[in-house]
């Protein structure tokens, strides 16, 4: 039994851990190529971006202030270092975070409300 959270964070299907979860950078596949699991119901919406903003925002704000006040970096160096770091960190966190949230939807059997749910 594969751990759905580890599989999701690694960009793999949360059911089998084999097939690719994404077909583009962030677009979730329709079905798993390995086990045929229907991934089209997975919709994490704005969730991943919210967590990325909170995590990256904390890290980058702390790093910026620490560089300024502990190491006395000049402002141009702070900007030249931390602005690209922010972009890289946000882009690097988005895919694992989206995979994690899709896996959480799979584990908790979440899907869009259908006509049988109301
Ligand atoms: Zn699968």
């Amino acid at each position: 039994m594969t751990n759905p959270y580890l599989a999701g964070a690694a960009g793999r299907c949360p059911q089998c851990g084999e097939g690719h979860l994404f077909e583009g950078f962030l677009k979730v596949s329709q079905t798993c190529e390995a086990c045929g699991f229907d991934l089209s119901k997975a919709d994490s919406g704005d969730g991943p971006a919210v967590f990325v903003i909170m995590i990256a925002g904390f890290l980058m704000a702390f790093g910026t202030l620490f560089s300024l006040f502990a190491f006395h970096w000049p402002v141009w160096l702070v900007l030249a270092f931390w602005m690209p770091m922010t972009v890289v960190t946000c882009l690097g966190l988005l895919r694992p975070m989206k995979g994690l949230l899709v896996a959480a939807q799979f584990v908790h059997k979440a899907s869009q409300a259908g006509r049988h749910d109301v």
Side-chain angles (χ1 to χ4, degrees):
M1 184 68 196
T2 102
N3 182 329
Y5 293 110
L6 290 179
R12 299 283 168 184
C13 164
Q15 175 160 279
C16 65
E18 297 290 323
H20 292 94
L21 181 58
F22 299 104
E23 42 180 61
F25 180 60
L26 286 175
K27 188 175 189 304
V28 178
S29 308
Q30 289 290 309
T31 54
C32 171
E33 72 218 6
C35 68
F37 181 67
D38 181 17
L39 291 162
S40 63
K41 287 180 186 144
D43 181 13
S44 53
D46 294 337
V50 170
F51 285 107
V52 168
I53 288 168
M54 289 195 293
I55 295 168
F58 169 78
L59 291 174
M60 298 305 126
F62 179 81
T64 302
L65 293 174
F66 199 77
S67 318
L68 272 174
F69 295 115
F71 299 136
H72 302 289
W73 284 11
V75 172
W76 68 265
L77 180 59
V78 170
L79 292 176
F81 181 77
W82 286 107
M83 281 172 60
M85 280 294 288
T86 305
V87 173
V88 169
T89 304
C90 288
L91 292 178
L93 280 175
L94 263 176
R95 246 171 97 106
M97 196 56 73
K98 185 162 184 173
L100 263 180
L101 291 189
V102 168
Q105 289 183 321
F106 165 75
V107 168
H108 298 287
K109 298 177 173 51
S111 67
Q112 298 295 311
R115 47 199 304 214
H116 302 294
D117 300 326
V118 280

